[in-house]
Amino acid sequence: MITSNIIAKGILRALATLVLIAVGLYFLFQIQSIIIYLVVALVLTLLGNPIQRFLKKRLKFNNIASTIVTLFLFILIIVGFIMLFVPLILSQGQSLSLLNITEIQKNINQLIAQLTVYLEHYNIDAEGLLKQFNVTSKISFDFIPIFLNSIISTVSSLGIGLASVLFITFFFLKDKIKFVDAIKYILPDQHEEKILNSLDKINNLLTRYFVGILIQLSIVFILYLIVLLIFGIENPIVIAFICAVLNIVPYVGPLIASLLAAILTMISNLGHDFQTETIPLTIYVLIGFWIVQIIDNNLCQPYIFSNSVKCHPLEIFLVILIVGFLFGVIGMIIAVPVYTMIKVIGKEFLPENKIIQLLTKNI
């Protein structure tokens, strides 16, 4: 029989649980920087695993030496990136007025005026359409200077963050075996083998995935840069860099990159004849970017998705689409790694399930 005492205890227990959850979430919020350090260090560890493995197997380095050399390579890459790209992005960003909202808005308004005049030649009332839909007031390019300023401010304030990430990465790389032993000690015996197998497969698949993503972004950046250089677009490196970074967002990112490249091309060509020079040049750049996307979609992405995480492209598309609708852009970025982990865990713990068998037959 349920008494008032039992009900009161249940309510108190529920309230205590809610309070603990709230305190836990607040604690995680307060240490969000540390969580970010851990996540970045984990990604660096996954990227460093192939290097460390090569040093151990091919060059016969011991564990400490291979870890130090791997970390040193990361430091060289980070320092090289800072010395090469940040001053370049800063100087080119300033010359492109990407760090000046007023200037870029002025350029956009001038561009819209030229486009309106161009469309009027074809009896299209562009000005009326713009007023009807109030387009000019809705156009905002705040994300461009925010994006560049965030890069610059992040680099300028790396300090403790970079040191912390590298410190954590060092021990992640060096003490992988110790971490596994600690996990073995904590895990219940009946699930130990399955969990360890899952962790091993996840580590292998995500290592290949992040290495593949890094290679993909590098290839796309170089191809974008070549397109911009061929057509003589001003500030090609900063535009190619921004558009390549946008490729991190699956499917949506490349579309935004193409639109951004078209707008920045027209802005950089202000002062020239709009109909005979600006429009053809923008079309050529867009065609070049679409060719890059065709290369990326048919060569780079199939390699990453099919070979690294063992997923069919349609499967990946649906996962990214669903997670994107549920959690937005961040969800689209983390969809593939999280889905990969779920698949691996499902294969280990539910191997008899028909759906799991179908989704994990290549893992």
Side-chain angles (χ1 to χ4, degrees):
M1 181 177 178
I2 300 175
T3 64
S4 59
N5 189 34
I6 294 175
I7 295 174
K9 287 182 178 179
I11 294 173
L12 289 174
R13 191 179 300 111
L15 288 174
T17 302
L18 290 174
V19 169
L20 287 175
I21 292 173
V23 171
L25 291 175
Y26 178 76
F27 176 73
L28 291 176
F29 177 77
Q30 292 297 318
I31 63 167
Q32 58 182 309
S33 297
I34 298 175
I35 295 173
I36 293 172
Y37 296 161
L38 289 170
V39 172
V40 174
L42 181 59
V43 173
L44 286 178
T45 302
L46 293 173
L47 292 173
N49 279 334
I51 301 173
Q52 190 182 35
R53 197 178 302 120
F54 173 81
L55 293 172
K56 285 182 177 180
K57 290 185 177 180
R58 299 291 183 179
L59 303 182
K60 306 302 179 183
F61 281 34
N62 61 32
N63 188 49
I64 294 291
S66 63
T67 302
I68 292 173
V69 171
T70 302
L71 206 64
F72 182 70
L73 290 175
F74 281 147
I75 294 172
L76 285 180
I77 293 171
I78 292 169
V79 171
F81 178 85
I82 293 173
M83 293 180 65
L84 178 62
F85 282 98
V86 172
L88 188 59
I89 291 172
L90 180 61
S91 62
Q92 292 199 2
Q94 287 172 337
S95 65
L96 191 61
S97 301
L98 293 180
L99 302 179
N100 189 328
I101 289 284
T102 304
E103 186 65 25
I104 195 171
Q105 201 68 46
K106 178 182 174 183
N107 290 338
I108 288 295
N109 291 334
Q110 185 179 346
L111 179 62
I112 291 174
Q114 290 186 356
L115 183 61
T116 301
V117 173
Y118 173 73
L119 292 175
E120 284 176 353
H121 287 292
Y122 297 92
N123 298 318
I124 299 175
D125 186 13
E127 187 174 355
L129 291 173
L130 291 174
K131 287 181 179 179
Q132 180 180 350
F133 294 102
N134 200 21
V135 173
T136 52
S137 64
K138 295 178 181 178
I139 294 176
S140 176
F141 289 87
D142 289 7
F143 75 95
I144 299 175
I146 290 172
F147 174 75
L148 286 175
N149 284 327
S150 65
I151 293 175
I152 295 164
S153 62
T154 299
V155 171
S156 63
S157 62
L158 280 176
I160 296 175
L162 180 58
S164 300
V165 167
L166 293 175
F167 184 78
I168 296 169
T169 304
F170 174 80
F171 286 103
F172 277 0
L173 286 168
K174 184 178 79 71
D175 295 329
K176 288 194 292 285
I177 297 176
K178 291 182 180 179
F179 291 140
V180 172
D181 291 339
I183 291 172
K184 286 182 180 179
Y185 181 77
I186 297 172
L187 295 177
D189 294 336
Q190 64 269 30
H191 298 305
E192 179 181 313
E193 185 178 354
K194 292 180 179 179
I195 294 175
L196 291 177
N197 286 339
S198 298
L199 291 175
D200 185 58
K201 289 179 181 178
I202 289 171
N203 174 68
N204 181 49
L205 291 173
L206 291 188
T207 295
R208 295 169 63 180
Y209 174 74
F210 284 115
V211 170
I213 287 290
L214 194 61
I215 294 172
Q216 179 203 13
L217 294 184
S218 300
I219 293 172
V220 169
F221 168 74
I222 293 170
L223 292 177
Y224 279 158
L225 182 60
I226 290 172
V227 170
L228 296 171
L229 289 173
I230 287 175
F231 296 109
I233 305 302
E234 295 179 5
N235 314 292
I237 293 180
V238 67
I239 296 176
F241 175 78
I242 294 173
C243 292
V245 171
L246 285 171
N247 264 54
I248 293 176
V249 183
Y251 306 114
V252 177
L255 295 177
I256 298 174
S258 298
L259 178 62
L260 180 62
I263 293 172
L264 294 179
T265 298
M266 287 190 285
I267 291 176
S268 66
N269 211 45
L270 286 174
H272 296 79
D273 186 86
F274 191 77
Q275 183 171 352
T276 61
E277 295 185 37
T278 303
I279 290 293
L281 181 63
T282 303
I283 292 173
Y284 295 149
V285 170
L286 281 175
I287 292 173
F289 269 55
W290 292 335
I291 291 173
V292 172
Q293 286 307 313
I294 290 172
I295 295 172
D296 181 47
N297 292 335
N298 290 280
L299 294 177
C300 298
Q301 289 189 17
Y303 172 81
I304 293 171
F305 295 148
S306 300
N307 295 335
S308 63
V309 295
K310 309 295 182 183
C311 291
H312 191 277
L314 179 59
E315 181 184 353
I316 291 296
F317 174 77
L318 292 175
V319 169
I320 291 173
L321 196 63
I322 293 170
V323 177
F325 274 120
L326 293 174
F327 302 104
V329 173
I330 299 298
M332 296 179 74
I333 295 173
I334 67 172
V336 175
V338 172
Y339 179 62
T340 301
M341 290 188 284
I342 293 173
K343 283 178 63 175
V344 171
I345 294 170
K347 184 171 184 177
E348 287 295 329
F349 286 89
L350 301 169
E352 304 301 324
N353 186 283
K354 298 296 183 182
I355 298 176
I356 297 295
Q357 289 178 358
L358 179 64
L359 293 176
T360 61
K361 61 182 178 179
N362 295 323
I363 296 180

